[in-house]
């Protein structure tokens, strides 16, 4: 086997890309690993820093690996070396353009592992990239689901250190084929390399049915936790209290109320996911595992386990960046329409708010900025749990700290701007308008 056939390229040097690259360098040091950067300045920083990735084991212990090859996407040309194994660790919305640049270096002998959240990226690549429209020329796709929490970590000696990371919790890296007719060979060089990293990555190769279940399970968790942390501006762990408390105030900015809670979203998402799975009748074990109650319990458990973390979607919105909402909530809405199911109204409203950053008066919110006063925190979550105790969840009185937050004044820069009657940015609203949020409509005029 040629060395180029065993070489691995990793597109995306975020937390997940660093995690996989570091594991490969640890357990397979002689394997050529090339990191592909989307931005030139990130590539320059990596090269100037000695091509090193550092893993924080604890507060005082580091494990650094170096010797990685590196390139940035602008260097890719039709005459560049062939890519046999490509691990895509970018977010869904950051995938199409860089893979399009790399497409001349990929062919039917290449393998692409999509290691990312959400659904629909593969279909987008096949339809939008000219070279991949023909099944005879497109690469083989693998799907990956990582259950390990990985987050960036700063270096005390260097305040801005983008090539360090730390692991929070440990879960398996599940990998499987995208197609029922596809089978991953045991001797495939990418499979062998990732299996060597099992002590770190806990790699498990699954068949088509099992990886489909794992991907949909992860999709439900993301669709429940991520949008709610955005609209309530809170860390993941606060969602547990959001579910328990029945009298939450309107959100100080968007007006979104407690009807947007984990249980209400699971009630919408559950039927869609079960329809996609087409579960065989009579399998009690599967029916219980995919019931609304089981999905809700798992989502709340995951939110509790990652209590102090702020979801990547919330970080993207606060930073004014595009989010993965199209590949999470957007995919679920599309599937509901295709299957003729009831429109998931709450999920659709959250999708429009996060996608278009707009609320009732149509003013665009391009960047949320730092969390305003009144946004939930881990301390709020603990105070709420303490105030609720074991009392009736419906009739419990609001604690004083929560009453105070209802009256928080919206900052001037977030207050809606007046618009003339004939110049409403949202145009004519649908007949049934949600009282808390307007949907994005096409251009036009009309009464709200």
């Amino acid at each position: 086997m040629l060395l180029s056939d065993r070489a691995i390229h990793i597109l995306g040097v975020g937390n997940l890309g660093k995690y996989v690259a570091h594991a490969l360098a640890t357990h397979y040091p002689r394997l050529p690993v090339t990191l592909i950067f989307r931005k030139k300045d990130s590539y320059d920083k990596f090269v100037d820093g000695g091509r090193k990735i550092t893993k924080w084991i604890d507060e005082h212990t580091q494990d650094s690996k170096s010797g990685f090859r590196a390139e940035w996407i602008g260097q890719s040309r039709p005459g560049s070396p062939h890519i046999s194994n490509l691990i895509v660790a970018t977010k869904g919305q950051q995938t199409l353009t860089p893979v399009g640049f790399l497409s001349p270096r990929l062919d039917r002998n290449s393998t692409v592992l999509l290691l990312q959240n959400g659904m629909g990226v593969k279909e987008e690549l096949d339809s939008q990239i000219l070279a991949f429209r023909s099944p005879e020329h497109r690469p083989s796709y693998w799907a990956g689901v990582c259950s390990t929490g990985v987050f960036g970590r700063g270096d005390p000696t260097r305040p801005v250190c983008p090539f360090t990371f730390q692991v929070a919790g440990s879960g398996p890296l599940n990998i499987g084929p995208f197609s029922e007719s596809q089978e991953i060979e045991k001797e495939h060089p990418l499979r062998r390399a990732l299996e060597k990293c099992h002590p770190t990555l806990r790699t498990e190769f699954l068949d088509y049915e099992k990886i489909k279940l794992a991907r949909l399970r992860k999709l439900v968790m993301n669709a429940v936790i991520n949008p709610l942390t955005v609209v309530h501006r809170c860390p993941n762990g606060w969602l547990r209290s959001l579910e328990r408390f029945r009298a939450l105030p309107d959100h100080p900015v968007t007006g979104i109320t407690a009807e947007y809670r984990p249980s209400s979203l699971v009630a919408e998402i559950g039927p869609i996911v079960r329809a996609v799975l087409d579960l065989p009748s009579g399998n009690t074990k599967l029916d219980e595992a995919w019931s609304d109650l089981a999905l809700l319990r798992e989502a709340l458990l995951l939110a509790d386990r990652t209590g102090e973390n702020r979801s990547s979607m919330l970080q993207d919105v606060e930073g004014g960046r595009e989010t993965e909402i199209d590949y999470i909530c957007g995919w679920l809405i599309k599937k509901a329409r295709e299957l003729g199911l009831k429109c998931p109204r709450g999920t659709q409203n959250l999708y429009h708010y996060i996608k278009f950053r707009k609320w009732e008066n149509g003013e665009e919110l391009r960047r949320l900025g730092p969390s305003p006063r009144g946004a939930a925190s881990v301390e709020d979550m603990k105070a709420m749990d303490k105030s609720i105790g074991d009392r009736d969840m419906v009739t419990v009185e609001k604690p004083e700290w929560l009453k105070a937050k209802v009256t928080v004044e919206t900052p001037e820069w977030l207050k809606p701007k007046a618009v003339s009657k004939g110049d409403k940015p949202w145009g004519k609203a649908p007949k049934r308008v949600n009282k808390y949020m307007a949907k994005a409509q096409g251009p036009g005029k009309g009464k709200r």
Side-chain angles (χ1 to χ4, degrees):
M1 183 182 298
L2 298 175
L3 186 63
S4 60
D5 294 334
R6 292 190 292 113
I8 294 177
H9 291 70
I10 300 177
L11 173 62
V13 195
N15 293 328
L16 193 53
K18 290 182 288 188
Y19 174 59
V20 174
H22 189 278
L24 288 169
T26 301
H27 300 284
Y28 205 159
R30 292 183 294 175
L31 180 71
V33 176
T34 303
L35 307 182
I36 304 177
F37 291 81
R38 295 185 303 111
K39 299 179 180 179
K40 180 65 162 57
D41 57 344
S42 298
Y43 165 78
D44 292 337
K45 289 178 182 177
F46 183 71
V47 173
D48 294 342
R51 303 171 184 258
K52 182 173 65 174
I53 295 177
T54 301
K55 175 182 178 181
W56 281 83
I57 300 173
D58 54 42
E59 290 297 323
H60 307 287
T61 311
Q62 301 179 7
D63 180 18
S64 297
K65 301 296 178 184
S66 58
F68 298 100
R69 303 179 184 185
E71 60 181 77
W72 76 286
I73 204 68
Q75 294 175 318
S76 187
R77 297 288 186 273
S80 300
H82 177 262
I83 296 177
S84 296
N85 306 292
L86 177 65
I87 298 176
V88 179
T90 58
K91 294 182 179 181
Q93 72 275 14
Q94 300 169 342
T95 302
L96 179 61
T97 299
V99 173
F101 273 100
L102 297 175
S103 60
R105 303 168 61 183
L106 300 165
D107 57 25
R108 59 182 301 176
N109 297 316
S110 304
T111 300
V112 176
L113 169 59
L114 297 178
L115 195 58
Q116 49 197 190
N117 294 328
M119 308 279 269
V121 176
K122 173 188 177 296
E123 293 76 10
E124 184 178 57
L125 295 178
D126 289 343
S127 62
Q128 298 297 321
I129 297 178
L130 183 62
F132 294 171
R133 290 180 182 175
S134 171
E136 299 177 356
H137 297 96
R138 72 176 60 135
S140 299
Y141 292 101
W142 295 359
V145 178
C146 183
S147 304
T148 299
V150 187
F151 60 93
R153 171 67 186 268
D155 189 326
T157 62
R158 297 172 60 193
V160 180
C161 191
F163 307 111
T164 63
F165 71 95
Q166 189 166 353
V167 175
S170 180
L173 172 60
N174 294 320
I175 298 173
F178 263 99
S179 169
E180 192 171 6
S181 60
Q182 184 184 0
E183 185 177 353
I184 299 178
E185 300 175 359
K186 291 185 177 181
E187 297 302 315
H188 193 286
L190 180 57
R191 174 168 180 166
R192 291 179 63 184
L194 293 174
E195 284 179 336
K196 281 194 174 185
C197 301
H198 178 79
T200 299
L201 300 179
R202 294 179 57 188
T203 316
E204 296 180 12
F205 280 84
L206 309 177
D207 59 24
Y208 168 73
E209 290 297 334
K210 290 183 178 179
I211 194 65
K212 182 180 178 181
L213 293 176
R215 293 179 68 215
L216 284 171
R217 203 87 179 180
K218 184 73 177 292
L219 179 73
V220 173
M221 301 302 107
N222 288 328
V224 172
I225 295 175
N226 290 10
L228 288 177
T229 60
V230 172
V231 296
H232 291 289
R233 308 293 300 282
C234 63
N236 297 352
W238 196 72
L239 298 183
R240 174 165 54 89
S241 294
L242 174 67
E243 181 60 38
R244 296 176 60 194
F245 199 67
R246 306 296 185 188
L248 288 176
D250 290 0
H251 188 276
V253 175
T254 64
I256 296 174
T257 63
E259 73 174 88
Y260 296 92
R261 63 174 73 249
S263 57
S264 63
L265 294 185
V266 169
E268 294 182 346
I269 295 169
I272 302 173
V273 173
R274 288 190 288 272
V276 171
L277 286 174
D278 193 18
L279 299 173
S281 58
N283 193 326
T284 308
K285 189 175 180 181
L286 266 181
D287 290 340
E288 291 179 355
W290 288 92
S291 66
D292 288 351
L293 181 59
L295 295 174
L296 177 60
R297 283 174 175 170
E298 187 171 345
L300 292 177
L301 180 62
L302 178 61
D304 192 35
R305 192 180 300 158
T306 58
E308 298 188 16
N309 291 0
R310 297 172 70 80
S311 71
S312 60
M313 188 174 289
L314 175 57
Q315 294 179 44
D316 285 339
V317 170
E318 289 183 335
R321 299 184 293 271
E322 192 178 358
T323 70
E324 296 176 289
I325 196 70
D326 281 322
Y327 306 95
I328 300 176
C329 294
W331 187 88
L332 288 167
I333 296 167
K334 178 183 176 183
K335 279 297 174 184
R337 291 172 179 166
E338 290 177 356
L339 297 168
L341 300 176
K342 182 180 178 181
C343 176
R345 186 64 61 186
T347 302
Q348 190 172 36
N349 287 339
L350 292 175
Y351 169 81
H352 283 150
Y353 169 68
I354 296 171
K355 173 71 175 178
F356 301 107
R357 313 279 173 87
K358 296 179 178 179
W359 61 84
E360 289 180 354
N361 73 321
E363 184 179 352
E364 187 169 1
L365 186 63
R366 296 186 180 276
R367 179 185 175 95
L368 283 177
S371 297
R373 291 181 304 150
S377 65
V378 177
E379 289 71 25
D380 292 340
M381 175 190 72
K382 293 177 180 177
M384 181 180 283
D385 281 343
K386 186 176 180 181
S387 69
I388 293 174
D390 296 323
R391 294 177 289 171
D392 183 12
M393 296 300 107
V394 178
T395 60
V396 64
E397 184 181 357
K398 299 178 187 178
E400 290 299 324
W401 65 268
L402 190 53
K403 290 179 181 178
K405 289 181 186 290
V406 180
T407 61
V408 170
E409 185 178 355
T410 304
E412 289 296 330
W413 64 277
L414 279 177
K415 287 183 178 178
K417 297 178 180 178
V419 293
S420 63
K421 184 177 179 181
D423 189 30
K424 290 187 177 181
W426 285 66
K428 188 174 180 180
K431 292 182 180 180
R432 297 183 64 186
V433 179
N434 186 292
K435 64 187 290 188
Y436 301 110
M437 181 185 303
K439 293 169 56 179
Q441 299 293 316
K445 299 181 180 179
K447 293 184 179 180
R448 188 166 283 287

